[in-house]
Each structure stands twice: as structure tokens, then as C-alpha cells.
Amino acid sequence: MSSFQGQMAEYPTISIDRFDRENLRARAYFLSHCHKDHMKGLRAPALKRRLECSLKVHLYCSPVTKELLLTSPKYRFWEKRIISIEIETPTQIPLVDEASGEKEEIVVTLLPAGHCPGSVMFLFQGNNGTVLYTGDFRLAKGEAARMELLHYGDRVQDIQSVYLDTTFCDPKFYQIPSRAECLSGILELVRGWISRSPYHVVWLNCKAAYGYEYLFTNLSEEFGLQVHVDKLDMFRNMPDILHHLTTDRATQIHACRHPKAEEYFQWNRLPCGVTSKNRIPLHTISIKPSTMWFGERTRKTNVIVRTGESSYRACFSFHSSYSEIQDFLSYICPVNVYPNVIPIGTTMDKVIEILKPLCRSSQSIEPKYKPLGKLKRARTAPLDSEEEEDDLFDDPLPVPLRHKVPNQQTLHPEVFPVPAVSQNQPQKLTQSTECFKVENMQTSLRTNFIDCEESNSESEEELQVPASSPADPGPVTHQQKAEAEVPQWEVFFKRKDDITDEGLENLPSSTEGGGLSVTKAFK
């Protein structure tokens, strides 16, 4: 659960992912994605009054986030005040104090965050330096090196501060299976079940219809079946997703939801109420994507684990592991790092201590810019693989085209600034569930992972209703930008082709999101 209070020390006149209290005085608002712990105050009466009294305050976000937000009537009052910014397009934004007339300019660039459709990181550039706000993110190792706009000419941008998603910033969460590995296990499980007969069905026990589109679209493509969901209105202008979903209950893959879905399933009823097809009883299994539950395991386990006679868990993470955070920070070498989340079971002080050696003063390796090559379908890891592989390329990563220019001595402070710690941080509770391993489980890909926890927890997703580089053409102003007709959701996180891949007051928060063989083991 995000503990970020909305304001950055470098640019206090803007607010990000928080819309109450002191944030009501902001000159501009930014929303990284539509999860409710990043939307506090977004539809509060106080903010509505602020908009009624102001002509210049706007909310900036990605096109997909705008589309998702406006599908809810509760947020329609924002319609004329939302400005969507295309991904990887430096955009100049005026920050005007309407009382005094004081004005400053900043340039903001949206970068894919890999968390969920529409999720972005914000790169701010202005008189107070370059600052990166990650929001919630999951980036595989090496992805930062391929983000062109994190670079200035032939070197990494000089980033003053990073406001970081630290959900799994703990060495005990060193490595978490990638989305591709989770998908591989789910595909194998689903294939083995639905191939038995047309009356064998699968229920994906997801706490929300928003955030799991990666699974839905890939399952649909693999088996030529649409996934049953409760509503389609969220994706009415996103054909890439809409094509794979249906409200027709006569399908073998379901992701429908009901407040008492667990009870329904115990009586062999899907949340949509279906119990038979052509009067023939259905045989149903449930698959629950999560990571929090897996973090409680003390023994080696698998990416897919059987937890009951007809229920399974799948380790599916929306957030970067410790090693992925380490890789990210080691590459961009910021001066300061400020945690946005306190991991379960630890404290802010401990997180800061972990982050300290990852800041610029402790880095000695110079990052190299590796432009993204042609994407390929993920290949299977070898049997003796001991860690995650970065298989975006057919062959090993190409020799970098450009090298970072050595930093000047003045850019290496020796002191690690300690950010202010907000009080009364919410603490999360973990669950304890007995785990039953699948009998005769065959592991086709053997890899060991450290236990991991997911902030997309059991109680989470309840859905109820840069200054430009010399070669760049320069930032565009928001008045000049024309919005795309169809939001391209796939740029926000990788699809099946990449091994690294990974409505709204009541949209999810970012906290939790027999004889069948499964893939990848971790511990």
C-alpha cells in the first residue's frame, strides 16, 4: 500500500497520486495508474470545489489511465480537466499560481511502469533538477538501460531523486518469478484441465477485473477462448483487450466475480452462477494469482501450487523484486532515493538502510545504454537455469552502442539524505494458509527463488462498480498535443512475446493484486 503523501521536495507545487490535505493547493495533479491507494481524495468534495474555483488546474496521466478513470460516473466531473500525455513524449507543462500569477515550467515524460495497463513512471525536469517518480512498477533487469528517455545523449540522465516503489525492497524477496514464468505454469495447468472435456472449466480467482489483463489476453490467445468477465465497459475503447473478453457465460475460462465468490466455488458454482452446461454438471478448478501467500512459505515451492482438491495458487507479482530494484537503481545512480512503501514486516529506517548503498555515492559501475532490439517470443529456460534470464533478444544482448560519460566528481555526494518519514504508516496483515503440494508434480523448468510477497494481497482489488536530448525535437506543450484515438495498453507492460514481462474509487489498490505438471520452482 502506497505511503507516498503526494508531494516531492524538489517540486512541491505539484501533487502525484494523492489529492487531499495539503495537495489541495497543487498547481497540477498527476495520476500514475488507477489503483485506489493512488487515488485518495480524487473525487472528494474539497477537490471538486477546488476545480470549480480554478481554470488552470489539470490532471495529467496516460491515455489508458484516462480511459479507465472516465468509465466510472464518479469521476466524470474530471472529464474536461484531464490531459492525457503520450508515452515517451517529453511535454512542457505550465505551473501557474492563479492568485499571484507566478509561473514556472516543467517538462514531464511518461515511461512505462510495467505494473498494470496505463501505469507509468513520471520523469520531471525543471529548475530544481531531474526527478523520477516510479509509482508502482515492475521492470525486469536491464529494462532501464533500454529506456532512451532515461538517457541524455550518450549517458544516463543526472537524476537528483527517485521516489521509489519499495514494496519488495528487502533481500529476502531477492527474486520473484517473472510474469512469463507464472503464465507458463498457468497455461500448462489450464491446458491439462480444459482439454479433458467441454465441461471442464477454469475460474481465475482475481480480486479485480483490472490489472490481470496480461493473463486474460494470453490465455485467450493460447486456447482460442474468450474469458468471461462481469462487465466490458472499462475496455470499450481498447480493442486489444476487448477482443479477448466476453460476458457470455458459455466459455471454459472465467474471471467473473461476486462478493461471495469463494462460497459459490465451494458448492461447485462459478461466481456468475453457472453450474452446468446442457444440463451436464461442470467440473471446475480455481486458480488464484497472488504473491503475498507465497511469501509465507518457508520451504521450497513451485510457481503453481495446489492448495485444495480443486484450487491452486499462482505466484504473480505486480511489483519489482529486490534484485530488480537493485538493478534499476544501480543503473540510473540517483543522488537520493525516497521509499514510497514500507514492506511488510520492516520499517522505514530499514528500507533506507537497504537503499543507501544503491545510491550514487556507492556506485562504481558505469551504466551502458542498450537500445531495445527486435522483440521475440520467449524461449524456454534450460533445465539447470539458476536465475531469471533476460530473453528479449534472440542472441545475448548486443554490444552497447553508446557508453555513459564518466560522472564528474561534483556529482558524487558522500552523504545519503534521509527522507522525512510520515507517521502512522498503515501496516498490512498477512495470511497463513496450509499448503498442499500437487501430487506427482512435474517440474519442467527448475529454478529456485527466494520467498516473495505481493502487495496485491487478499483484501486488495475489490472492484465495485525530460529536458530533451540534443537529438530530440523538444518537448511539446499540452495545448499542441492531439490524443490518440485508441489507447495502446500493450506499451505499459510486456505481453507473452517477452520473457521479461511481466472501475474507481473501488478499483483495486496496489496491494495484491491432479496429475497436472507446472513450471518453475522457487523458495
Side-chain angles (χ1 to χ4, degrees):
M1 184 75 69
S2 175
S3 58
F4 182 65
Q5 297 302 302
Q7 295 185 338
M8 305 181 298
E10 295 82 2
Y11 297 101
T13 60
I14 67 176
S15 289
I16 316 171
D17 288 356
R18 192 70 187 255
F19 309 91
D20 58 359
R21 301 176 182 176
E22 62 273 12
N23 300 292
L24 292 170
R25 298 189 293 270
R27 300 180 185 180
Y29 295 100
F30 295 83
L31 178 63
S32 66
H33 64 289
C34 288
H35 278 165
K36 63 184 180 183
D37 58 323
H38 292 257
M39 301 167 67
K40 293 179 181 177
L42 189 57
R43 68 180 189 94
L47 189 55
K48 289 183 179 181
R49 289 193 295 270
R50 170 73 200 283
L51 295 181
E52 291 170 355
C53 298
S54 171
L55 298 175
K56 298 183 180 297
V57 174
H58 293 88
L59 174 68
Y60 299 91
C61 60
S62 70
V64 169
T65 294
K66 176 181 178 179
E67 182 67 34
L68 291 170
L69 189 70
L70 294 181
T71 59
S72 171
K74 298 176 182 179
Y75 295 91
R76 292 278 170 76
F77 69 91
W78 273 106
E79 188 165 12
K80 296 182 179 179
R81 294 300 186 93
I82 300 180
I83 297 177
S84 63
I85 300 176
E86 294 299 327
I87 306 301
E88 299 177 331
T89 304
T91 303
Q92 184 173 304
I93 294 177
L95 303 176
V96 181
D97 185 331
E98 293 176 280
S100 65
E102 180 185 70
K103 179 179 180 180
E104 65 174 312
E105 302 280 350
I106 61 169
V107 172
V108 61
T109 305
L110 278 57
L111 302 172
H115 177 68
C116 64
S119 64
V120 295
M121 303 186 291
F122 292 111
L123 183 69
F124 296 99
Q125 295 168 293
N127 294 333
N128 295 325
T130 300
V131 178
L132 179 66
Y133 172 84
T134 69
D136 287 345
F137 82 130
R138 185 168 194 193
L139 299 182
K141 293 180 181 179
E143 280 198 70
R146 303 185 194 104
M147 290 187 173
E148 182 176 3
L149 293 175
L150 278 180
H151 299 77
Y152 185 86
D154 58 357
R155 60 178 173 178
V156 177
Q157 292 229 32
D158 177 17
I159 297 179
Q160 176 66 25
S161 299
V162 172
Y163 293 80
L164 182 71
D165 173 13
T166 48
T167 300
F168 293 136
C169 190
D170 189 320
K172 68 181 179 181
F173 306 137
Y174 186 80
Q175 191 155 304
I176 300 172
S178 70
R179 281 179 171 147
E181 291 162 340
C182 176
L183 175 64
S184 178
I186 291 179
L187 287 176
E188 190 172 353
L189 177 59
V190 172
R191 181 181 293 107
W193 187 255
I194 67 174
S195 63
R196 296 185 177 189
S197 82
Y199 309 101
H200 283 72
V201 301
V202 172
W203 173 45
L204 298 173
N205 184 5
C206 304
K207 285 295 184 180
Y210 172 57
Y212 297 92
E213 291 77 13
Y214 170 79
L215 295 179
F216 302 164
T217 55
N218 279 285
L219 285 166
S220 174
E221 287 181 353
E222 182 72 19
F223 302 113
L225 298 170
Q226 290 180 305
V227 178
H228 176 248
V229 295
D230 299 316
K231 292 188 274 187
L232 298 174
D233 56 339
M234 293 173 64
F235 309 112
R236 62 191 176 209
N237 292 327
M238 300 181 205
D240 286 345
I241 298 177
L242 193 63
H243 174 70
H244 300 288
L245 306 178
T246 183
T247 54
D248 184 354
R249 301 184 297 177
T251 181
Q252 286 182 272
I253 305 177
H254 290 249
C256 42
R257 300 168 55 241
H258 188 277
K260 296 183 179 180
E262 301 280 358
E263 297 179 20
Y264 271 58
F265 184 74
Q266 291 176 4
W267 294 98
N268 200 35
R269 294 177 62 188
L270 290 164
C272 57
V274 174
T275 59
S276 65
K277 182 179 180 181
N278 299 327
R279 298 188 177 181
I280 299 177
L282 298 177
H283 304 280
T284 309
I285 61 171
S286 72
I287 304 174
K288 189 167 190 174
S290 64
T291 312
M292 189 77 76
W293 180 88
F294 281 83
E296 299 170 5
R297 306 308 95 187
T298 58
R299 298 180 180 180
K300 179 179 177 180
T301 186
N302 295 280
V303 172
I304 308 294
V305 172
R306 188 174 185 174
T307 56
E309 183 179 354
S310 57
S311 59
Y312 298 81
R313 294 267 185 167
C315 188
F316 184 82
S317 178
F318 293 87
H319 303 264
S320 284
S321 66
Y322 174 80
S323 62
E324 290 166 338
I325 291 174
Q326 187 178 44
D327 175 80
F328 179 74
L329 291 179
S330 297
Y331 183 80
I332 63 177
C333 301
V335 178
N336 311 318
V337 181
Y338 300 95
N340 287 349
V341 182
I342 302 176
I344 294 175
T346 187
T347 64
M348 180 67 78
D349 289 340
K350 290 181 180 178
V351 176
I352 293 173
E353 190 63 28
I354 290 172
L355 293 174
K356 183 175 181 179
L358 302 177
C359 290
R360 182 176 301 167
S361 59
S362 301
Q363 296 296 323
S364 59
I365 301 176
E366 295 181 352
K368 297 179 176 64
Y369 173 33
K370 294 172 279 191
L372 184 61
K374 183 178 180 180
L375 300 181
K376 61 175 284 292
R377 184 169 295 276
R379 66 172 180 261
T380 303
L383 291 178
D384 59 351
S385 174
E386 289 298 328
E387 60 184 46
E388 281 188 279
E389 292 188 3
D390 187 357
D391 286 342
L392 282 175
F393 299 89
D394 289 312
D395 299 308
L397 293 176
V399 177
L401 298 179
R402 295 181 284 187
H403 296 267
K404 179 185 174 186
V405 175
N407 292 325
Q408 298 181 3
Q409 186 175 3
T410 56
L411 298 180
H412 293 263
E414 298 181 357
V415 179
F416 177 82
V418 178
V421 180
S422 61
Q423 301 298 319
N424 301 321
Q425 298 288 358
Q427 298 295 321
K428 301 179 196 170
L429 300 178
T430 61
Q431 297 184 344
S432 179
T433 308
E434 183 67 21
C435 167
F436 301 93
K437 293 190 178 180
V438 182
E439 296 180 3
N440 302 320
M441 181 172 293
Q442 302 172 14
T443 305
S444 57
L445 299 176
R446 301 184 181 279
T447 300
N448 293 333
F449 297 91
I450 297 299
D451 282 345
C452 55
E453 292 193 32
E454 172 62 80
S455 73
N456 291 70
S457 65
E458 312 298 313
S459 63
E460 187 244 343
E461 307 181 336
E462 294 296 339
L463 179 67
Q464 298 177 357
V465 264
S468 58
S469 65
D472 291 336
V476 297
T477 62
H478 69 267
Q479 293 92 340
Q480 295 171 325
K481 285 187 55 60
E483 300 177 6
E485 293 183 2
V486 179
Q488 297 299 309
W489 74 282
E490 65 271 15
V491 304
F492 299 98
F493 61 91
K494 300 297 185 294
R495 299 272 308 276
K496 181 179 178 181
D497 296 324
D498 310 303
I499 200 168
T500 56
D501 69 337
E502 296 244 6
L504 263 91
E505 149 82 356
N506 298 312
L507 273 177
S509 73
S510 58
T511 59
E512 189 87 292
L516 302 176
S517 61
V518 297
T519 58
K520 289 285 186 182
F522 72 101
K523 63 179 180 179

